[in-house]
Amino acid sequence: MLKQTTMDITQHVIGKLNENGDFQLFYDNECVGQFVRESNTFKLKHGYEQQNGRILKSVTVTENPNMKYVDCDTEDGWC
C-alpha cells in the first residue's frame, strides 16, 4: 500500500547566493526554492515545505513493504 508522508531534508539542502542577494536552495543538485532575505521567508517549489525552521519533502512510500500478495485458486489447485 502506498502512503504520502514528509521527509526532513534540512541537513542535505545547500544554499547558494544569487544575483538578487537571495539564497537559492538546492537538494540533490535540484533547485527546490529560495530564501528571500528582504521578507525573511521561504519560497519553495511544489512538494516541499518549511516547518519550524526545517525543510520537508513530500514523498510516497510503501507501507508494509514486506507484505506478499498471495492469491490461491483452490478450485484448480494453484497458489
Side-chain angles (χ1 to χ4, degrees):
M1 180 180 290
L2 298 177
K3 175 177 116 173
Q4 195 72 16
T5 188
T6 55
M7 178 174 73
D8 186 347
I9 61 168
T10 307
Q11 297 295 326
H12 305 285
V13 173
I14 297 171
K16 296 180 182 180
L17 195 60
N18 67 15
E19 62 276 353
N20 298 333
D22 297 328
F23 285 96
Q24 287 186 299
L25 304 173
F26 290 85
Y27 172 69
D28 213 17
N29 294 321
E30 176 189 351
C31 183
V32 298
Q34 65 180 355
F35 178 77
V36 182
R37 289 187 319 154
E38 288 178 355
S39 60
N40 202 32
T41 59
F42 288 93
K43 288 186 180 177
L44 300 173
K45 288 186 175 179
H46 179 73
Y48 296 89
E49 62 182 275
Q50 184 273 335
Q51 239 178 38
N52 300 323
R54 312 298 292 169
I55 298 177
L56 308 173
K57 178 180 181 179
S58 294
V59 293
T60 303
V61 296
T62 304
E63 195 173 64
N64 300 325
N66 294 328
M67 281 181 54
K68 304 288 186 241
Y69 175 76
V70 177
D71 184 18
C72 293
D73 180 358
T74 55
E75 291 177 10
D76 293 326
W78 293 97
C79 193

